[in-house]
Each structure stands twice: as C-alpha cells, then as structure tokens.
Amino acid sequence: CSLTEKLSNASSPNIIIMLMDDMGWGDLGVLGQPSKETPNLDAMAAQGMLFPNFYTANPLCSPSRAALLTGRLPVRNGFYTTNGHARNAYTPQEIVGGISKDEILLPQIMKKKGYVSKIVGKWHLGHRPQYLPLKNGFDEWFGAPDCHFGPYNSSIRPNIPVYNNSEMLGRYYEEFKIDRKTGESNLTQMYLLEGVDFIRRQTEAQRPFFLYWAPDATHAPVYASKPFLGQSQRGRYGDAVMELDYSVGHILLWLKRLGIENDTFVFFTSDNGAALTSGPNEAGSNGPFLCGKETTFEGGMREPAIAWWPGHIKAGTVNFQLASVMDLFPTSLALAGLSPPDDRALDGLDLTPVLLNHPHTQGNRPIFYYRGNELMAVRIGQYKAHYWTWSNSLEEFNKGINFCPGEEVPGVTTHDQKEHTLQPILFHLGRDPGEKFPISASSHEYQKVLSRISPVVEQHKSTLVPGVPQLNMCDVAVMNWAPAGCEKLGKCLKVPKSQPWKCDWPH
Amino acid sequence: CSLTEKLSNASSPNIIIMLMDDMGWGDLGVLGQPSKETPNLDAMAAQGMLFPNFYTANPLCSPSRAALLTGRLPVRNGFYTTNGHARNAYTPQEIVGGISKDEILLPQIMKKKGYVSKIVGKWHLGHRPQYLPLKNGFDEWFGAPDCHFGPYNSSIRPNIPVYNNSEMLGRYYEEFKIDRKTGESNLTQMYLLEGVDFIRRQTEAQRPFFLYWAPDATHAPVYASKPFLGQSQRGRYGDAVMELDYSVGHILLWLKRLGIENDTFVFFTSDNGAALTSGPNEAGSNGPFLCGKETTFEGGMREPAIAWWPGHIKAGTVNFQLASVMDLFPTSLALAGLSPPDDRALDGLDLTPVLLNHPHTQGNRPIFYYRGNELMAVRIGQYKAHYWTWSNSLEEFNKGINFCPGEEVPGVTTHDQKEHTLQPILFHLGRDPGEKFPISASSHEYQKVLSRISPVVEQHKSTLVPGVPQLNMCDVAVMNWAPAGCEKLGKCLKVPKSQPWKCDWPH
Ligand SMILES: [Ca+2]
Ligand SMILES: [Ca+2]
C-alpha cells in the first residue's frame, strides 16, 4: 500500500518529540490563546497536522512521561501508587522508586535501527542511579532528573542536580541560576543549544537520531531568559511560552538549514494540562476545558499536539483522531521500521496511517483517564463517561489549593472522591467541551451511549494487569545528596540515615 | 501621509459588515474552537487582520446593533431603559420604541457619496413603521425586524414578519419555515443569495455599496439548512456555524469572481457573546472568557472580529488594538471619504490607521461595559475594573436561567447587583483572561492602575449626556399584527386595543 512505500522511501526518519511541561491546550495561538504569542507553533501547525483531541495518559508529569516512553498506561508500567485511592503520584526527590527495569523504553528499541538518542531537559522517571536516562536507553542527556523547585537549604534538602550525560554539572539555584524574584533563567536557551548541537552532530555523522526535547520553563517556578522577560501580554508565564515558541521555531529552522526537514518527524505536545492552581502568574490556559493539572477533566488531560514532517504529512490539516501521548511509542517505532514488544500489553496506537493517509482515522479508539490506580473516566467518540469525580479534597481546597479556580459544576467538580460507577456522568464533548451539561441519565441518548461504553470499560478492567507500583515509598536518604560526578565538583552533600516511609499523596 | 494616499487610491471601497447573532469569541477555529469547523473564517483571518480585543457596546442584540449603526453607546443613542437599574433592554415585538429619529445612521451618511445600502437579516432597532430600515437610510432590506422566536398563536401573538424592502413577504413559521424539532430552515441560504445578488447588481451598475449582512442562525432557536444539519461535531449550533462559515466563504469568493476584492472592505463580527443559558445544544462558545450574553464579563462582550481587504490590509496579521463595534461607524465613513457628524458625541474610533498601517495601534483607548443605564466596567490596556457586578438574579437563576453555567468566581459572578465603585474589582486580562483572579486591592499594582483608570471613568461620567430612553414602554397593540404589505397577502391580523405598560426587564 501507499503507506509502506512512503515509509520505505522515508527510510528511518529522525524523530523529535518536543514535550512541554504543564503547558495547556489553550496556550497556543492556533488553539485560541487571546494573546496569540506562538507564531512559530502556529506556523508549525500550518505546515503540519493539528490534533485537537490529543490526550496525556495522566494529569501529572512523571506518569505522563513514563507512559510516553513505554507506550503503556502508568497503571501498567508502575508509575502510580497504591498508598491511597486515585492519587496522583510522581517522583519528588524523596521517592525511592523509578522506572522499572522490566519496562522497555522507546530509545532502547530505537537502538536496534542505529538511532542515537538524547534527552534534553526534564527526565522525571526517578533520580537514583539505576533510573537515570543513560541507564534506560538514552545515549546522551542534558538536564535534570526532577522539577526545578527550590532553592533549598542543603542541610535539609539538596538542590536538584543538572546532568551532562551520566555526571552532574551543577545544581539549580547554584551553578544553574533561576532567579525566583525576577523569573530569569537561561535554561531554555541551554536546552535549545543542546538540542540543536545534537541534531547537527548526528546529521554530520549521518546517523538517524531520536531527540526527546523536554524543557520545563512553563512549570512553576516559571522562568524565561532576559530577552523574553516582560515581552508577553500575560506576564512571566507568557514570556516562558514565547521563549519556548522561539526555540521550537529555531529547531525547525535548523532542520531546514541542514536539509533534513523531509527526513525528520517532529511531534509537539505537553505532559499535562495547565496548573491552574498556580494562576494567574504562573499558570497557562486550558482554553474552554474544565479544571486543570491533577484532574481527569478535559483541562487536566487534553493537550496541544502538532505533527510536522514536510513532504509526508499534509500541511495545514486538522485531525480529529482521538490520540494519546502513548501513541508516540508505537508510532515512532513504526516510522523507524521497528516492531513494538510483543510480550506485554501496549496502550498506544500506531498513528502512522492517520498521519500519512489524511483524512484516515481510527474510530472507536477509547481514551482512558486514570488518576493513580483508578479509572476515573473514559472517552469514546464524542462521549465521555465519568466513573469517579474528584477535584481535590476540601481540606486542601480550604488551604488555597484549587484545581478548578472560578469553575464549579455541581456534582462534577466534587471535593470528595465521588463514585458514579452505577450511573456514570456523561458528557458530549463536541456540544459541551467544558463538561458543564451532564446528559440526563433517563434520556435515550444516555442509555444508547452507555451501552456502547460499558462493554469497553468492562473489557479494559477485566484484562488489565496492574504493574507493581513504583511510587509508594519515600526516604530522605535517596535525595540528590551525592549524584554521580559530585566528587569532581566538590558538590557532594552528606547522605542522612535511611528512614523510609510510605509517601503521602494528598491528591 | 501614506494613509491618505492609500485611501484616495482606494476611492470609496465597498463596505460589507457581517454581523453574527450570539456567536461567541470561541466559535471560530482560529480562536480555539476545538471542532475547528470554520475553514472559511480561518482563511479570512489568514488573508486579513484578526482583532482578539474587539468588543460589542452591550451584551444584547438591539443595543449592540444600534451602537454599530450610530457609532454611539446605547446610553447615548437611547437604546436602553430606565425602568430598572442596569437592565438589558431590547426590542421584543411589544416594544413601543425604536431607533430615535434624532440619531444618524451609517447608511444615511454613506448616501452622500453615492453608496447604495442594503441590510440582509435581522434589524432589531424597532418594528413599527417609522423605525424600519428603509426609513433609516437603507435602500434595500431582506429580513425581519425581530428575533425568530415562535411559532405563536396568531390570536395572542403574531409571528414575526419577513420583509422584502418596505413590505412583508410572509411570516416566520408560516411562509418562512423554521422546524423547531429538526432545526431545519433555509433562511441562511436566502440571506446568502440576497447578499450575493445585491453585490452583483451594484457591481454591474458600478455603484459603491454598503452591505450589512446580519443572519441570525446562531440565535436560539438555532437553525441550519438540510445539507448542513448533522454535519458538525457539536450538534445544531455547530451546524449553523458551518453554514454561516460556508456563506462567508461564498461571499468572499464572489468578490474575487467579480474582481472587486481589492475594492471591498469586509468586517466580520458578532453582536454579543454566546448565550450560554441556551447550552449545550443551542449555545456557542466564549472560549476562555467568563460567562456570556447578557453579562458584562468578557464572555458577554468580547467578540470574534476579522477585517479583510486584500491589497490594503496586511494578510495574516493579529492586531491587539482595543476596538469596538462602534468603531465600524467612523471607520466606514473614513473609508468612504466622509466625515462623521460633528454635532454629537461619538464613541467609535476611526480604525483606518490601525487597519492600514500595521502594526500601528491607538493606545489608551478605553472600553466601556454598559448594562442598560449603568457603567458596569471599564477596560484600559490589559486592565479591567468592575464597578458593578451582576450575573442574574437569584430568582431567575433558581428558575434555571444561568448566564455563567459551571462558572462561579466568588464576589464576581454575583447574583445580586453588587456595587464596587469605592473599590472596583480589578483584573489583568492578559494574565487572567477568564476574570478569575482579582488583583489585591492593597497591592501597589492595584493602586497604580486605579489611579490611571479613575480619571478616565470620572471624565466619561461627568461628560456623558444620556439619551432619551427608547425602551421603556410596551404595548400589545404595537406587535406585528398588520405590517405593511399584509393586505396584499391577506396576512393582516386584528390589532388589539392599546394597553401600554412599563416593560419589565428582569436582567
Ligand atoms: Ca507537568
Ligand atoms: Ca444577539
């Protein structure tokens, strides 16, 4: 078929996945940000394919990233917790666990076809030595294992290290400045240079490459470099977006300069919805969608997404395929001419037919919305059924942590974990993208739709084998006291005695 | 200057104002509608200039339309009521009043330069004989004086007449079908044909023309013609949008076919925000903005807006100028080489320098948000100060009328009319387009901004001379019982005895 021909002609294209941090669906001009500050991303969409129905696998950084690199739901790949019901767990530096050695990561398979892989930016799949990128298939790394929270007092909590490959180069707030007051930091510029340098080196060496470009400037504390600070209409967050947009444009420009734009598949997306609780100064926009990061409402899990591959993907197209960050795993493998592992369940879908044979779509593909160990909701076609609803606890809410500021849908944005398995709350996301008008349970439409959704959910639940949860245990002794390379730099800190505890995941 | 040259070269371009009814800012693909169903409007924006900060003068049909055609705030041109405080009044068919004879309407002035003017669609400035379009400067009219509510029992309430020029052709739900069950109606197709026919006739006759194209398919009851029904991802409302988008594309195509695209200035906008209370089936989207129609939050008054004039307006530009539907009055006059009346206060701004000399903008231009006789809020730059807040009364809300479904901003979306004149609620619309995070009144930012806004408000209030309110009196005798032309058609109904009362405006 034409697809096979196209693929063989393309002969293992380079692959670049650009993953933003906490950037919302509504942060792109092409997706309705009123300040229209992303000319490069808008141009990327005009030259590529926009996916308005693209989802993350979890509304939080670590599990989302683990899902991207394994093609599997966090509940399968172990990036979840059983310490509480339906809790979002991630990898703060006191976490003991990380990506399981039983998981197969994308770059590990890509190696078989000679791909050289680099991650630039945030890893977030565990910071202990065995969990780091170079132990998990990547050939190169410039970035940090954890979020850039801080600064910390080194006797209580070390600052997060920044690595160059397998050794630390320094720490955030020490060698790698982030000015909490002004918001100034040069990190995005460094990530841009590291990405471009990698692309140039592999192009010169004529090796196919996989670049996982994961800057974190739009995650609180939000930062931008001096030339971008104060440039946007919406404060520091918009400044960070403008710098990322500039960087995306710069990378695409380099692909053209190097003459490899027809040989490089680029995909842009974000790891979870905008963190509205950081609003208004350090939060993005989820456009018309309900709530944000940490929730399984659309605002938490619908992501901006653009595929770009001149000469292969039809320019200026909008594809309504329901798709997921997990699809990037089998899709990247298919582009490289590789098969996914056949010894495990995969949740990702190979999108190459959808990408290359527009307007082909794969119907009936469900989207599962998980929070920790619980299936909170399911989308099939335009319908979304909520089996559990939860924004966050009233206790947290009263402390000022609000995942749905200014939004309140009675019975939907609940402050207790509310079960609806006997009568799921149903929305039509076409007519009602904001999840504000539940469809009456007594309507014919409800009955008809539920009879389509229920078997899919039952099938999913009955065949799902949860992985061993990796995010249950915490310990101060595992923090980044003495990362590899600290000796050379004189940056090792004293490791305290081990005192493991069950991590507390409040939401 | 270059502007003058350009204008003299353009020598009185044709002017088309396309005014949608209750279409929301977020209904356009280019402004973030997830179903991306407006390829023609998106192309119009790509070929023209997009105004993300464009406002109506009032969050309801009639006053908005009166403001467009007079260039003046409804509180000046009389399209408001003093029957209650801060009430939205309009022209239902029991209204006694209409556009005052003391007002000067755009087509009346355009005549001086030989422009032929036609209105296609909804008039809404009064339905009694003296208030109709042909008595107020228009040379032609195809459409109706009021909303297409109905069907009515002719003994209690007549159905709304559809006029061809100065005589009725029939009535909605009678000769002009709207199927309330299926949503089918051919009205948009008729409006399209009427618009194109007018354009072709004037082009052939080489007369400059002003077309005010005002279809109402996106106002409840929402309708579309058969080929469009069921085509969108979001039900009947989306179908209506698709047909309007198709029609806009078709009109622009005709301008090109006729070779007059460089001689025709086209402006697309809507009369007020999406009517969220009709959601989800018959309401549009206000994107990330708060609340909708009837309110002075951004969702009620921020409008989609595109200017298009190939060869004159730079293609693909985004202009952040704060602008208003009232600006179309002096702007159209300037384009035609005419001066606005100098015997009255005008609220509109001539946008020609902004349109033609991109990226020129006019700073410090305030936007006033009125509800009836009250100045509810003001925007200057990125800041908006609310002096009064009100969504709708608790009594109405409890009856299911909700102008802010799923949204609740404490102290902001108030159910009683709440005065804040001593300490206005302040938002930064760049950082916080959704009006969810009031700026602390004790902050330096608040003090600084208020000291800029307060004098503007004081100046406005102290110099404002309210017009005589035209929307205070109602009477069943004035309804459309016997419109001109009814005799010929045998469509006259018996006029009941006059029983005037003070109209009740609940919100
Ligand atoms: Ca994140
Ligand atoms: Ca309207």
Side-chain angles (χ1 to χ4, degrees):
Chain A
C1 73
S2 70
L3 172 62
T4 322
E5 280 174 280
K6 272 186 193 163
L7 281 181
S8 59
N9 287 347
S11 68
S12 304
N14 307 307
I15 291 169
I16 300 178
I17 295 176
M18 298 169 161
L19 187 75
M20 302 300 109
D21 200 348
D22 291 10
M23 189 182 277
W25 191 94
D27 277 326
L28 272 57
V30 70
L31 294 173
Q33 170 53 231
S35 56
K36 293 265 181 197
E37 65 206 357
T38 57
N40 293 290
L41 285 162
D42 299 352
M44 185 183 176
Q47 296 158 17
M49 187 177 275
L50 185 70
F51 286 87
N53 293 313
F54 194 87
Y55 289 90
T56 182
N58 194 278
L60 200 62
C61 312
S62 296
S64 167
R65 288 156 195 256
L68 188 162
L69 290 173
T70 62
R72 284 149 57 82
L73 282 166
V75 72
R76 290 195 216 270
N77 68 32
F79 254 61
Y80 73 109
T81 183
T82 50
N83 288 0
H85 177 251
R87 302 303 169 107
N88 292 318
Y90 70 108
T91 56
Q93 60 171 329
E94 56 268 37
I95 199 83
V96 174
I99 189 71
S100 163
K101 65 178 178 359
D102 296 332
E103 291 300 312
I104 303 172
L105 275 68
L106 185 53
Q108 290 171 328
I109 314 178
M110 302 286 278
K111 259 194 221 325
K112 292 187 196 166
K113 277 268 188 174
Y115 277 77
V116 184
S117 298
K118 176 164 194 155
I119 163 172
V120 173
K122 177 161 143 183
W123 171 240
H124 231 204
L125 301 191
H127 57 277
R128 295 174 63 204
Q130 67 271 36
Y131 300 129
L132 293 179
L134 270 60
K135 293 285 169 61
N136 285 279
F138 283 97
D139 302 294
E140 300 185 14
W141 178 30
F142 181 88
D146 306 287
C147 290
H148 55 283
F149 295 129
Y152 297 121
N153 173 334
S154 305
S155 64
I156 301 165
R157 204 174 179 83
N159 278 318
I160 303 297
V162 175
Y163 281 79
N164 187 27
N165 299 324
S166 55
E167 294 196 344
M168 76 178 280
L169 273 185
R171 295 181 191 268
Y172 285 140
Y173 304 96
E174 297 174 18
E175 292 76 15
F176 294 86
K177 305 282 183 220
I178 303 171
D179 187 320
R180 289 297 300 264
K181 210 174 150 171
T182 63
E184 185 181 345
S185 174
N186 293 326
L187 283 161
T188 300
Q189 290 303 316
M190 291 182 202
Y191 295 150
L192 171 56
L193 289 175
E194 285 290 329
V196 169
D197 172 69
F198 174 73
I199 292 167
R200 294 178 63 175
R201 282 189 284 113
Q202 306 319 316
T203 307
E204 270 171 38
Q206 296 189 296
R207 281 180 301 216
F209 63 81
F210 167 47
L211 171 61
Y212 174 38
W213 193 69
D216 59 359
T218 42
H219 187 295
V222 167
Y223 61 79
S225 68
K226 201 156 194 178
F228 292 91
L229 281 175
Q231 293 304 304
S232 87
Q233 294 175 39
R234 50 178 183 145
R236 195 170 292 180
Y237 185 88
D239 300 343
V241 169
M242 287 180 82
E243 186 163 18
L244 291 167
D245 176 74
Y246 166 87
S247 303
V248 168
H250 209 71
I251 290 173
L252 299 186
L253 191 64
W254 265 105
L255 298 179
K256 290 175 189 162
R257 272 189 197 150
L258 294 168
I260 57 169
E261 75 273 28
N262 294 324
D263 310 316
T264 308
F265 171 80
V266 186
F267 200 93
F268 174 94
T269 188
S270 178
D271 68 342
N272 51 250
L276 302 185
T277 194
S278 305
N281 294 314
E282 304 212 302
S285 166
N286 295 317
F289 300 121
L290 186 63
C291 301
K293 180 177 177 180
E294 303 273 9
T295 78
T296 48
F297 301 111
E298 292 299 287
M301 295 191 57
R302 184 103 65 122
E303 305 303 330
I306 305 168
W308 184 92
W309 190 12
H312 302 267
I313 292 174
K314 196 168 173 236
T317 46
V318 177
N319 197 308
F320 295 103
Q321 172 71 46
L322 300 200
S324 159
V325 74
M326 297 181 288
D327 300 345
L328 298 177
F329 182 91
T331 302
S332 299
L333 292 178
L335 291 173
L338 287 158
S339 298
D342 57 6
D343 63 342
R344 61 197 64 210
L346 274 187
D347 298 285
L349 187 73
D350 175 7
L351 292 178
T352 52
V354 172
L355 290 162
L356 303 176
N357 305 333
H358 182 76
H360 176 86
T361 53
Q362 313 242 28
N364 285 325
R365 189 274 169 92
I367 297 291
F368 296 107
Y369 302 70
Y370 269 88
R371 192 156 169 168
N373 56 355
E374 187 59 80
L375 178 67
M376 306 287 286
V378 176
R379 175 176 181 178
I380 292 182
Q382 292 289 357
Y383 290 98
K384 179 175 177 182
H386 288 270
Y387 292 85
W388 284 86
T389 53
W390 194 30
S391 51
N392 62 344
S393 70
L394 205 53
E395 193 194 338
E396 277 202 304
F397 178 74
N398 289 337
K399 278 191 247 166
I401 300 168
N402 188 352
F403 296 154
C404 313
E407 297 179 308
E408 194 178 329
V409 184
V412 176
T413 53
T414 57
H415 280 297
D416 46 352
Q417 294 190 353
K418 200 133 187 152
E419 186 169 5
H420 311 278
T421 46
L422 293 178
Q423 193 177 85
I425 298 178
L426 190 69
F427 292 105
H428 185 286
L429 294 178
R431 300 194 298 261
D432 179 21
E435 296 170 282
K436 293 188 166 76
F437 303 95
I439 296 170
S440 164
S442 62
S443 67
H444 176 66
E445 182 181 17
Y446 185 97
Q447 305 295 337
K448 211 178 91 183
V449 170
L450 251 286
S451 72
R452 257 179 71 207
I453 294 183
S454 301
V456 176
V457 171
E458 277 159 35
Q459 159 81 5
H460 174 74
K461 287 196 154 184
S462 65
T463 57
L464 182 99
V465 183
V468 177
Q470 303 295 319
L471 307 179
N472 281 352
M473 294 308 299
C474 286
D475 189 340
V476 289
V478 304
M479 294 203 285
N480 293 291
W481 303 107
C486 71
E487 308 83 356
K488 289 186 202 163
L489 301 167
K491 301 280 298 180
C492 302
L493 297 167
K494 191 167 167 274
V495 182
K497 226 181 74 189
S498 172
Q499 276 181 306
W501 76 91
K502 272 186 152 182
C503 317
D504 176 45
W505 304 113
H507 40 250
Chain B
C1 73
S2 68
L3 172 61
T4 321
E5 280 174 280
K6 272 185 194 166
L7 282 180
S8 60
N9 286 347
S11 68
S12 304
N14 306 308
I15 291 169
I16 301 178
I17 296 177
M18 299 170 160
L19 187 74
M20 302 301 109
D21 200 348
D22 290 11
M23 190 181 277
W25 191 93
D27 278 326
L28 273 56
V30 70
L31 294 173
Q33 171 52 233
S35 56
K36 293 266 180 195
E37 64 207 358
T38 56
N40 292 292
L41 285 163
D42 299 352
M44 185 182 176
Q47 296 158 19
M49 187 178 275
L50 184 71
F51 286 87
N53 293 313
F54 194 87
Y55 289 89
T56 182
N58 194 278
L60 199 62
C61 310
S62 297
S64 168
R65 288 156 196 258
L68 188 161
L69 290 174
T70 61
R72 284 150 57 80
L73 282 166
V75 72
R76 289 194 217 271
N77 67 33
F79 255 62
Y80 73 108
T81 182
T82 50
N83 289 359
H85 177 249
R87 302 302 167 108
N88 292 319
Y90 70 109
T91 56
Q93 58 172 330
E94 58 268 36
I95 198 84
V96 173
I99 189 71
S100 163
K101 63 175 179 3
D102 296 332
E103 291 300 311
I104 302 173
L105 273 68
L106 184 53
Q108 291 172 327
I109 315 178
M110 302 286 278
K111 258 194 221 326
K112 292 187 197 167
K113 277 269 189 169
Y115 277 77
V116 184
S117 298
K118 176 165 195 155
I119 163 172
V120 174
K122 176 161 145 183
W123 170 239
H124 231 202
L125 301 192
H127 56 277
R128 295 175 65 205
Q130 67 270 36
Y131 299 131
L132 294 178
L134 270 59
K135 294 284 169 59
N136 285 280
F138 284 97
D139 301 293
E140 299 185 14
W141 178 29
F142 181 89
D146 305 288
C147 290
H148 55 283
F149 294 128
Y152 297 121
N153 174 334
S154 305
S155 65
I156 301 165
R157 205 174 177 82
N159 278 318
I160 303 297
V162 174
Y163 281 78
N164 187 26
N165 299 323
S166 55
E167 294 195 346
M168 77 178 280
L169 274 184
R171 294 182 191 267
Y172 285 140
Y173 304 97
E174 298 173 19
E175 292 75 17
F176 293 86
K177 304 282 183 222
I178 302 170
D179 187 321
R180 288 297 299 264
K181 211 176 150 175
T182 63
E184 185 180 344
S185 174
N186 293 327
L187 283 161
T188 300
Q189 290 304 315
M190 292 182 202
Y191 295 150
L192 171 55
L193 290 175
E194 286 289 330
V196 169
D197 173 69
F198 175 73
I199 292 168
R200 292 178 63 176
R201 280 190 284 113
Q202 306 319 315
T203 306
E204 269 170 39
Q206 297 190 295
R207 281 180 302 216
F209 64 81
F210 167 47
L211 171 62
Y212 175 37
W213 193 70
D216 59 0
T218 42
H219 187 295
V222 168
Y223 62 79
S225 68
K226 202 154 194 180
F228 291 92
L229 281 175
Q231 294 304 304
S232 87
Q233 295 174 40
R234 50 177 184 145
R236 194 169 294 180
Y237 185 88
D239 301 342
V241 170
M242 287 178 82
E243 185 163 16
L244 291 167
D245 176 73
Y246 165 87
S247 304
V248 168
H250 209 71
I251 290 173
L252 299 187
L253 191 64
W254 266 106
L255 298 179
K256 290 174 190 164
R257 272 189 198 148
L258 294 169
I260 58 169
E261 76 272 29
N262 295 324
D263 310 316
T264 308
F265 171 80
V266 186
F267 200 92
F268 173 95
T269 188
S270 178
D271 68 341
N272 50 251
L276 301 185
T277 194
S278 305
N281 294 314
E282 304 211 302
S285 165
N286 294 318
F289 300 121
L290 187 64
C291 302
K293 179 178 176 177
E294 303 272 9
T295 78
T296 47
F297 301 111
E298 291 299 288
M301 295 192 56
R302 185 106 61 123
E303 305 303 329
I306 305 168
W308 185 93
W309 190 14
H312 301 268
I313 292 175
K314 196 170 172 234
T317 46
V318 177
N319 197 309
F320 295 102
Q321 172 72 44
L322 301 200
S324 159
V325 73
M326 296 181 288
D327 300 345
L328 298 177
F329 182 91
T331 302
S332 299
L333 292 177
L335 291 173
L338 288 158
S339 298
D342 56 5
D343 62 343
R344 59 197 64 209
L346 273 187
D347 297 285
L349 188 72
D350 174 6
L351 291 179
T352 53
V354 171
L355 289 162
L356 303 176
N357 305 332
H358 182 77
H360 176 87
T361 53
Q362 313 242 29
N364 284 325
R365 189 273 169 94
I367 297 291
F368 296 106
Y369 302 69
Y370 269 88
R371 192 158 169 166
N373 56 356
E374 186 59 80
L375 177 68
M376 305 287 285
V378 176
R379 175 175 180 179
I380 293 183
Q382 292 289 357
Y383 291 96
K384 179 175 177 183
H386 289 269
Y387 293 84
W388 284 86
T389 53
W390 195 29
S391 52
N392 60 345
S393 71
L394 205 53
E395 193 193 340
E396 278 203 304
F397 178 75
N398 289 336
K399 280 191 244 165
I401 300 168
N402 189 351
F403 297 154
C404 314
E407 297 179 309
E408 195 180 327
V409 183
V412 176
T413 53
T414 56
H415 281 295
D416 46 351
Q417 295 191 354
K418 198 130 189 154
E419 185 169 5
H420 311 278
T421 46
L422 293 178
Q423 194 177 82
I425 299 178
L426 189 69
F427 292 105
H428 185 286
L429 295 178
R431 300 194 299 262
D432 179 21
E435 295 169 283
K436 292 187 167 77
F437 304 95
I439 295 170
S440 164
S442 62
S443 66
H444 176 65
E445 183 180 16
Y446 184 99
Q447 305 296 338
K448 210 177 93 183
V449 171
L450 252 286
S451 71
R452 255 180 71 207
I453 293 183
S454 300
V456 176
V457 171
E458 276 159 36
Q459 158 81 4
H460 173 75
K461 287 198 153 184
S462 65
T463 58
L464 182 99
V465 182
V468 178
Q470 304 293 321
L471 307 179
N472 280 353
M473 294 309 297
C474 286
D475 190 338
V476 289
V478 304
M479 294 204 285
N480 294 290
W481 303 105
C486 69
E487 307 83 358
K488 292 186 200 164
L489 301 166
K491 301 280 299 178
C492 302
L493 296 168
K494 189 167 168 273
V495 183
K497 226 183 73 188
S498 173
Q499 277 182 306
W501 76 91
K502 271 187 153 180
C503 317
D504 177 44
W505 304 113
H507 40 251

